Amino acid sequence: MNQPVPDLLLGEFRPQMLKFARLQLQDGAAAEDVVHDAISAALEGVSRFSGRAALKTWIFAILRHKIVDALRERGRTVQISSLEKDEADMDEAFDALFAANAHWHPASRPRDWGDPEETLAQRQFWQVFETCLELLPANTARVFMMREFLGFETPEICRNLDISTSNCHVILHRARAGLRQCLERGWFNPEVRSAC
Amino acid sequence: MLTCKEATHLISDALDRPLSWRERLKLRAHLALCSGCRAFRRQLDFLRSASQRFRNGAKEDD
């Protein structure tokens, strides 16, 4: 913890983080603690970001993760949707894409998303992308971001978060499948009403 | 023969670890016959490049 904390973190995000943590924890001292922990945990990756929005989603994913832990320690079951959408819900939404034989339902078979460059050039798309990231469960989001934003190899991520390698792969698959479904609904095929 | 659901796991895993020779073979055989899984693979590739862009500040309008 002897790296300099970027001004952005302290000046701009910290107040928002505190506000969010107080709201969730209903306890000022506990909120200070989780924000401090989240900032410490986020520091190692900070230098890899040049995007402010991405840095913010990363830091808030860590914060959500810390808050969930704090609530669990208090023995509370976490049922705050923004904080912890259940992984089980995500798996259910994914399973619903398949028929009984584990092949795609005709209606939910993935279709082409068109020209990636064209999509990535649209500002509106990034709004949807950011929202979809924020909808991932905290733990899932954190693993995904360590892999895709920070470029950690999977074994490093597992060691870091103390989870098994196979579990790491399951979490990454869940994150990608969830993001994919969210973008599908929010951007690529909004007219297709899926069951969730 | 792989199911589509199994194929999605291999497609995702391939982004994180080297697949075994047997896995590659099974996946290739499946993809040759399955347009849905081919699209799924392109979409996961897209997610990876979108994440890179996002990290590097693609959306810096605020």
Side-chain angles (χ1 to χ4, degrees):
Chain A
M1 218 3 244
N2 40 20
Q3 312 171 53
V5 182
D7 292 348
L8 193 63
L9 263 182
L10 288 175
E12 190 176 345
F13 295 154
R14 197 167 175 279
Q16 293 174 32
M17 291 166 81
L18 274 171
K19 190 170 157 190
F20 180 75
R22 282 201 197 101
L23 206 68
Q24 305 288 357
L25 292 168
Q26 302 294 329
D27 171 347
E32 292 276 352
D33 285 347
V34 290
V35 168
H36 178 270
D37 285 355
I39 289 178
S40 309
L43 278 181
E44 63 172 334
V46 161
S47 61
R48 307 195 198 197
F49 288 91
S50 42
R52 191 177 149 282
L55 178 60
K56 190 173 170 183
T57 46
W58 158 243
I59 286 168
F60 272 83
I62 294 179
L63 180 63
R64 283 188 290 140
H65 195 181
K66 299 284 179 193
I67 291 172
V68 170
D69 284 351
L71 289 171
R72 285 224 179 90
E73 269 170 37
R74 291 189 205 169
R76 292 240 310 261
T77 1
V78 183
Q79 283 179 319
I80 309 159
S81 63
S82 71
L83 201 60
E84 188 70 329
K85 186 182 178 196
D86 199 357
E87 279 92 351
D89 289 353
M90 294 185 69
D91 291 345
E92 215 168 292
F94 182 67
D95 289 343
L97 302 174
F98 297 90
N101 64 2
H103 291 281
W104 300 107
H105 266 306
S108 49
R109 183 176 300 128
R111 280 173 303 161
D112 199 67
W113 275 356
D115 178 13
E117 284 307 319
E118 211 170 290
T119 307
L120 297 172
Q122 299 189 59
R123 184 181 293 187
Q124 289 294 315
F125 167 78
W126 292 109
Q127 298 287 355
V128 177
F129 187 75
E130 198 175 339
T131 305
C132 287
L133 279 172
E134 283 164 10
L135 288 171
L136 292 175
N139 181 36
T140 310
R142 192 171 174 189
V143 171
F144 178 79
M145 290 177 192
M146 285 175 93
R147 178 75 190 113
E148 302 296 347
F149 290 176
L150 305 184
F152 282 126
E153 291 300 327
T154 334
E156 281 181 281
I157 300 173
C158 314
R159 264 202 311 278
N160 228 297
L161 300 180
D162 204 19
I163 45 187
S164 72
T165 311
S166 64
N167 197 9
C168 238
H169 289 132
V170 170
I171 294 170
L172 285 165
H173 175 273
R174 184 184 291 128
R176 290 179 182 127
L179 269 178
R180 188 198 148 267
Q181 260 173 291
C182 183
L183 291 177
E184 183 79 33
R185 273 201 306 279
W187 182 261
F188 292 103
N189 283 307
E191 73 286 352
V192 178
R193 303 300 316 146
S194 63
C196 69
Chain B
M1 202 51 203
L2 284 179
T3 65
C4 293
K5 200 187 278 191
E6 288 166 336
T8 69
H9 279 275
L10 286 183
I11 290 165
S12 174
D13 281 9
L15 294 169
D16 304 315
R17 65 176 176 87
L19 296 185
S20 72
W21 165 88
R22 184 175 303 234
E23 287 171 326
R24 276 204 307 276
L25 209 64
K26 282 200 295 195
L27 183 59
R28 197 175 308 158
H30 181 89
L31 289 174
L33 301 171
C34 180
S35 68
C37 287
R38 287 199 300 273
F40 184 89
R41 183 170 62 168
R42 283 196 302 274
Q43 291 167 354
L44 292 201
D45 289 341
F46 171 83
L47 285 180
R48 172 153 287 180
S49 39
S51 301
Q52 294 293 313
R53 288 295 176 95
F54 187 60
R55 181 186 79 175
N56 296 326
K59 173 199 167 286
E60 298 307 77
D61 48 284
D62 47 358

